[in-house]
Amino acid sequence: MMPINHNHGQIMKKELVSLPVISDARGNLTFIEGNNHVPFEIKRVYYLYNIPIGKTRGGHAHKKLEQVIIAISGSLNVTLDDGITKNTFHLDNPKQGLYVGPATWRDMDGFSSGTVALVLASRSYEVDDYIRNYDEFIEFVKNARGTQ
Ligand code: T46
């Protein structure tokens, strides 16, 4: 999975999570433990599949939620935006995850046919944790930086 940089050639390596693989003549097995292979306790798991070609998802940020996105099968592009820098990651490897922290706008597109994207999440589904308006997101990021 290679990040495609939009700004200053900066590679955001902290987003990439390598997952363990047990490989033998029967094939591969990858396992994921919370607070070990991903940097949080896993509270929720969901997956995106049957995505029609050309459709986009995401278009929001979260206030508190942390997630790791894995292309279990197929491929997709995920663009992460922290309010200043945008980086696009092409996910096509079930041995790697993409960490998405709080206060990060995400857009997903370029789903190949048959893609299954597994998402591991640090919190239960909370509608109030979503920021679905980009201007509100920028305000949220500015306020968060101001309180640091
Ligand atoms: C994210 C990206 C990667 C639930 O009821 N429970 C859930 O756990 C989730 C994830 C969604 N929903 C409902 C909320 C909406 O009514 O499912 C509907 C579709 O969700 P949304 O439009 O947010 O789907 P995506 O693919 O744009 O975003 C999802 C996650 O919501 C989001 O947290 O980071 O995948």
Side-chain angles (χ1 to χ4, degrees), residues 9-51:
Q10 184 193 4
I11 294 177
M12 298 168 74
K13 282 193 179 138
K14 64 186 162 91
E15 270 92 1
L16 305 179
V17 177
S18 287
L19 302 170
V21 188
I22 311 289
S23 195
D24 63 29
R26 299 168 298 168
N28 293 347
L29 183 153
T30 286
F31 57 95
I32 304 164
E33 295 171 352
N35 281 325
N36 184 2
H37 307 107
V38 299
F40 50 79
E41 187 187 334
I42 299 167
K43 262 284 190 52
R44 178 168 52 113
V45 174
Y46 60 93
Y47 36 98
L48 308 173
Y49 59 104
N50 279 352
I51 313 292

Side-chain angles (χ1 to χ4, degrees), residues 44 46 48 56-60 62 65 67 69 106 108 119 125 130 132:
R44 178 168 52 113
Y46 60 93
L48 308 173
T56 61
R57 302 192 68 104
H60 58 257
H62 285 278
L65 186 69
Q67 303 192 105
I69 305 173
R106 81 285 323 265
M108 297 178 284
V119 187
Y125 175 70
Y130 283 77
R132 292 189 181 270

Side-chain angles (χ1 to χ4, degrees), residues 78-126:
V78 184
T79 299
L80 301 183
D81 174 358
D82 65 5
I84 298 173
T85 305
K86 278 189 195 184
N87 281 279
T88 299
F89 297 83
H90 182 66
L91 306 187
D92 62 356
N93 184 345
K95 294 178 275 190
Q96 281 188 310
L98 179 67
Y99 173 78
V100 186
T104 306
W105 191 269
R106 81 285 323 265
D107 288 302
M108 297 178 284
D109 63 12
F111 289 88
S112 68
S113 174
T115 293
V116 180
L118 179 71
V119 187
L120 310 173
S122 66
R123 300 172 68 90
S124 301
Y125 175 70
E126 298 161 306

